[in-house]
Amino acid sequence: MEPTASGQITVDAAPETVYRLISDPVSLAGIAEETVNCKLLDGAASATVGTRFRGTNRRGIRRWSTVSTVTDAAPGRQFAFNVASLGIPVARWDYSITPSESGCVVTESTWDRRPRWFLGLAYLATGVSDRATVNKENIARTLQRLKEKAEA
């Protein structure tokens, strides 16, 4: 199934450096467009497959939180997680890293997993009616911040 939004950027940094930034939910919150804070749950010290984390999100005056579960954690190659709100599937996010001559290419993708009946509630919480378009814009900003942080 094709992602509902995706973006790609070349980063002049080692894949392992990029992976460290995206596989740490606290660090990822520092570069993500809507996520302003993340906290590992269940006493986890790092994000590995099965680790859960709470994300606090903001868009304008609206705020909401989600709980994510790490599904893929391959150092230097991929980090992915499923997002839920109130126990309802919301999205899947995936960061794939491909080595390149100058460092790596990072692809960020998301799949909207919300059931149709949940869309109205999601709009009330986030104020976003066209999530695919907003996510595409957010991905571009997030990837640019990732590039800047990894290359610094």
Side-chain angles (χ1 to χ4, degrees), residues 28-47:
L28 187 56
I31 59 174
E33 185 64 18
E34 291 180 344
T35 305
V36 295
N37 189 30
C38 279
K39 179 181 179 185
L40 293 171
L41 300 176
D42 309 318
S46 63

Side-chain angles (χ1 to χ4, degrees), residues 16-104:
E16 295 75 21
T17 299
V18 170
Y19 181 82
R20 278 192 298 277
L21 293 172
I22 60 176
S23 66
D24 173 7
V26 175
S27 171
L28 187 56
I31 59 174
E33 185 64 18
E34 291 180 344
T35 305
V36 295
N37 189 30
C38 279
K39 179 181 179 185
L40 293 171
L41 300 176
D42 309 318
S46 63
T48 58
V49 172
T51 299
R52 296 179 333 123
F53 59 94
R54 180 174 308 285
T56 303
N57 307 286
R58 180 178 62 217
R59 182 167 185 80
I61 62 169
R62 289 181 161 91
R63 293 177 184 265
W64 68 97
S65 67
T66 58
V67 173
S68 298
T69 303
V70 176
T71 59
D72 298 274
R77 294 181 311 171
Q78 181 185 27
F79 185 72
F81 51 91
N82 288 331
V83 182
S85 178
L86 306 171
I88 309 300
V90 172
R92 173 176 171 77
W93 286 88
D94 182 281
Y95 296 83
S96 296
I97 305 166
T98 306
S100 69
E101 287 183 24
S102 63
C104 59

Side-chain angles (χ1 to χ4, degrees), residues 97-128:
I97 305 166
T98 306
S100 69
E101 287 183 24
S102 63
C104 59
V105 175
V106 181
T107 304
E108 179 179 4
S109 302
T110 187
W111 291 259
D112 191 337
R113 300 179 61 223
R114 299 171 298 169
R116 188 174 286 296
W117 63 265
F118 192 73
L119 298 179
L121 295 172
Y123 172 75
L124 289 174
T126 67
V128 174

